């Protein structure tokens, strides 16, 4: 069992930055991949970024490439999402998720455990 708790969301103006954190407990954090997803009002949940268990490989959806950075600190059981140059279309509830596999994936079905989500609102 894995428990995930996100933090760091909030209200920011367009062009601003936020850093989301997700702290994990339960199974050994360093053995599985982590991902960030988001869901805007009236839309389906979508992939944002993922990172391999070792942190050596990362993946991003095209709309956030060059603006968002996913990273992890296995000593702190925490994964981060640094979000820069935020746009109003980034407004959503952001969820972190844990896959039981070491390899990062964009496939939502590969993620077994989910956090409760944190709201990010970007004003224009």
């Amino acid at each position: 069992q894995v428990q995930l708790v996100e933090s760091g969301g909030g209200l920011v103006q367009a062009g601003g930055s936020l850093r989301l954190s997700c702290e994990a407990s339960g199974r050994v954090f360093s053995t599985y991949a982590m991902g960030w997803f988001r869901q805007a009002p009236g839309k389906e949940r979508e992939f944002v970024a993922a990172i391999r268990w070792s942190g050596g490989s990362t993946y991003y959806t095209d709309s956030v490439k060059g603006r968002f950075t996913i990273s992890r600190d296995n000593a702190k059981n925490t994964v981060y999402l640094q979000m820069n140059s935020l746009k109003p279309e980034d407004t959503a509830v952001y969820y972190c998720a844990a896959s039981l596999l070491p390899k990062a994936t964009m496939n939502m079905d590969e993620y077994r455990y989910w956090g409760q989500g944190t709201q990010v609102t970007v004003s224009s």
Side-chain angles (χ1 to χ4, degrees), residues 9-79:
L11 173 64
V12 64
Q13 288 188 334
S17 298
L18 284 173
R19 188 176 82 155
L20 305 183
S21 300
C22 173
E23 185 172 358
S25 60
R27 292 173 64 116
V28 180
F29 178 75
S30 61
T31 62
Y32 48 86
M34 296 292 296
W36 285 97
F37 294 78
R38 66 186 180 186
Q39 187 166 18
K43 295 188 177 181
E44 294 186 351
R45 192 172 298 187
E46 65 172 357
F47 169 79
V48 176
I51 187 166
R52 184 179 171 85
W53 70 273
S54 63
S57 297
T58 56
Y59 303 91
Y60 300 92
T61 191
D62 286 345
S63 62
V64 308
K65 284 180 180 177
R67 300 189 298 122
F68 290 12
T69 302
I70 187 171
S71 62
R72 65 190 296 162
D73 185 338
N74 287 345
K76 295 183 178 180
N77 290 351
T78 301
V79 63

Side-chain angles (χ1 to χ4, degrees), residues 68-102:
F68 290 12
T69 302
I70 187 171
S71 62
R72 65 190 296 162
D73 185 338
N74 287 345
K76 295 183 178 180
N77 290 351
T78 301
V79 63
Y80 305 97
L81 185 67
Q82 178 67 45
M83 305 186 294
N84 299 329
S85 302
L86 282 161
K87 304 175 180 180
E89 51 263 44
D90 294 318
T91 294
V93 177
Y94 283 70
Y95 299 89
C96 73
S99 165
L100 295 184
L101 303 175

Side-chain angles (χ1 to χ4, degrees), residues 3-14:
Q3 293 78 42
L4 303 172
V5 179
E6 302 102 332
S7 61
L11 173 64
V12 64
Q13 288 188 334

